[in-house]
mmCIF file of all heavy atoms in Angstrom:
data_model
loop_
_atom_site.group_PDB
_atom_site.id
_atom_site.type_symbol
_atom_site.label_atom_id
_atom_site.label_comp_id
_atom_site.label_asym_id
_atom_site.label_seq_id
_atom_site.Cartn_x
_atom_site.Cartn_y
_atom_site.Cartn_z
ATOM 1 N N SER Q 61 -8.291 0.877 -9.583
ATOM 2 C CA SER Q 61 -8.885 2.183 -10.077
ATOM 3 C C SER Q 61 -9.852 1.686 -11.213
ATOM 4 O O SER Q 61 -9.535 0.958 -11.938
ATOM 5 C CB SER Q 61 -7.883 3.158 -10.577
ATOM 6 O OG SER Q 61 -8.566 4.410 -11.027
ATOM 7 N N VAL Q 62 -11.107 2.461 -11.144
ATOM 8 C CA VAL Q 62 -12.089 2.052 -12.197
ATOM 9 C C VAL Q 62 -12.422 3.268 -12.914
ATOM 10 O O VAL Q 62 -12.506 4.409 -12.320
ATOM 11 C CB VAL Q 62 -13.350 1.549 -11.496
ATOM 12 C CG1 VAL Q 62 -14.457 1.221 -12.545
ATOM 13 C CG2 VAL Q 62 -13.098 0.260 -10.625
ATOM 14 N N SER Q 63 -12.648 3.116 -14.215
ATOM 15 C CA SER Q 63 -12.926 4.386 -15.124
ATOM 16 C C SER Q 63 -14.350 4.844 -14.711
ATOM 17 O O SER Q 63 -15.162 4.173 -14.091
ATOM 18 C CB SER Q 63 -12.999 3.947 -16.631
ATOM 19 O OG SER Q 63 -13.951 2.889 -16.824
ATOM 20 N N SER Q 64 -14.520 6.194 -15.029
ATOM 21 C CA SER Q 64 -15.857 6.835 -14.587
ATOM 22 C C SER Q 64 -17.062 6.179 -15.067
ATOM 23 O O SER Q 64 -18.150 6.177 -14.457
ATOM 24 C CB SER Q 64 -15.745 8.342 -15.019
ATOM 25 O OG SER Q 64 -15.639 8.253 -16.443
ATOM 26 N N ASP Q 65 -16.934 5.458 -16.319
ATOM 27 C CA ASP Q 65 -18.163 4.705 -16.815
ATOM 28 C C ASP Q 65 -18.198 3.276 -16.319
ATOM 29 O O ASP Q 65 -19.205 2.616 -16.672
ATOM 30 C CB ASP Q 65 -18.202 4.699 -18.361
ATOM 31 C CG ASP Q 65 -16.855 4.136 -18.907
ATOM 32 O OD1 ASP Q 65 -16.097 3.476 -18.204
ATOM 33 O OD2 ASP Q 65 -16.646 4.176 -20.148
ATOM 34 N N GLY Q 66 -17.228 2.950 -15.431
ATOM 35 C CA GLY Q 66 -17.260 1.562 -14.946
ATOM 36 C C GLY Q 66 -16.867 0.440 -15.893
ATOM 37 O O GLY Q 66 -16.946 -0.732 -15.492
ATOM 38 N N GLU Q 67 -16.511 0.828 -17.135
ATOM 39 C CA GLU Q 67 -16.175 -0.236 -18.163
ATOM 40 C C GLU Q 67 -14.779 -0.859 -18.047
ATOM 41 O O GLU Q 67 -14.648 -2.092 -18.218
ATOM 42 C CB GLU Q 67 -16.382 0.454 -19.567
ATOM 43 C CG GLU Q 67 -16.369 -0.580 -20.675
ATOM 44 C CD GLU Q 67 -16.646 0.024 -22.007
ATOM 45 O OE1 GLU Q 67 -16.825 1.245 -22.057
ATOM 46 O OE2 GLU Q 67 -16.647 -0.708 -23.014
ATOM 47 N N TYR Q 68 -13.879 -0.039 -17.578
ATOM 48 C CA TYR Q 68 -12.520 -0.443 -17.455
ATOM 49 C C TYR Q 68 -12.035 -0.377 -15.967
ATOM 50 O O TYR Q 68 -12.414 0.359 -15.107
ATOM 51 C CB TYR Q 68 -11.571 0.390 -18.319
ATOM 52 C CG TYR Q 68 -11.864 0.386 -19.735
ATOM 53 C CD1 TYR Q 68 -12.707 1.309 -20.306
ATOM 54 C CD2 TYR Q 68 -11.313 -0.660 -20.642
ATOM 55 C CE1 TYR Q 68 -12.979 1.246 -21.704
ATOM 56 C CE2 TYR Q 68 -11.549 -0.608 -22.003
ATOM 57 C CZ TYR Q 68 -12.360 0.305 -22.540
ATOM 58 O OH TYR Q 68 -12.699 0.198 -23.754
ATOM 59 N N SER Q 69 -11.145 -1.365 -15.625
ATOM 60 C CA SER Q 69 -10.522 -1.327 -14.289
ATOM 61 C C SER Q 69 -9.066 -1.536 -14.433
ATOM 62 O O SER Q 69 -8.547 -2.151 -15.347
ATOM 63 C CB SER Q 69 -11.070 -2.451 -13.533
ATOM 64 O OG SER Q 69 -10.762 -3.676 -13.958
ATOM 65 N N LEU Q 70 -8.302 -0.967 -13.550
ATOM 66 C CA LEU Q 70 -6.830 -1.041 -13.511
ATOM 67 C C LEU Q 70 -6.402 -1.481 -12.073
ATOM 68 O O LEU Q 70 -6.713 -0.815 -11.159
ATOM 69 C CB LEU Q 70 -6.165 0.310 -13.884
ATOM 70 C CG LEU Q 70 -4.721 0.383 -13.837
ATOM 71 C CD1 LEU Q 70 -4.066 -0.460 -15.052
ATOM 72 C CD2 LEU Q 70 -4.213 1.852 -13.836
ATOM 73 N N THR Q 71 -5.622 -2.485 -12.041
ATOM 74 C CA THR Q 71 -5.165 -3.023 -10.718
ATOM 75 C C THR Q 71 -3.678 -2.836 -10.692
ATOM 76 O O THR Q 71 -2.831 -3.294 -11.607
ATOM 77 C CB THR Q 71 -5.486 -4.411 -10.446
ATOM 78 O OG1 THR Q 71 -7.043 -4.562 -10.439
ATOM 79 C CG2 THR Q 71 -5.068 -4.936 -9.184
ATOM 80 N N MET Q 72 -3.075 -2.365 -9.590
ATOM 81 C CA MET Q 72 -1.632 -2.303 -9.391
ATOM 82 C C MET Q 72 -1.355 -3.494 -8.513
ATOM 83 O O MET Q 72 -1.885 -3.649 -7.382
ATOM 84 C CB MET Q 72 -1.166 -1.001 -8.815
ATOM 85 C CG MET Q 72 0.282 -0.972 -8.454
ATOM 86 S SD MET Q 72 0.881 0.758 -8.001
ATOM 87 C CE MET Q 72 -0.050 1.043 -6.541
ATOM 88 N N GLN Q 73 -0.387 -4.247 -8.858
ATOM 89 C CA GLN Q 73 -0.035 -5.537 -8.052
ATOM 90 C C GLN Q 73 1.500 -5.464 -7.716
ATOM 91 O O GLN Q 73 2.281 -4.907 -8.548
ATOM 92 C CB GLN Q 73 -0.238 -6.801 -8.906
ATOM 93 C CG GLN Q 73 -1.759 -7.033 -9.264
ATOM 94 C CD GLN Q 73 -1.963 -8.395 -10.092
ATOM 95 O OE1 GLN Q 73 -1.051 -8.647 -10.761
ATOM 96 N NE2 GLN Q 73 -3.122 -8.938 -9.844
ATOM 97 N N ALA Q 74 1.792 -5.841 -6.497
ATOM 98 C CA ALA Q 74 3.162 -6.011 -6.106
ATOM 99 C C ALA Q 74 3.567 -7.451 -6.394
ATOM 100 O O ALA Q 74 2.809 -8.342 -6.056
ATOM 101 C CB ALA Q 74 3.375 -5.786 -4.639
#
Side-chain angles (χ1 to χ4, degrees):
S61 178
V62 180
S63 61
S64 58
D65 59 7
E67 189 172 2
Y68 297 92
S69 65
L70 177 71
T71 300
M72 177 171 62
Q73 298 177 329

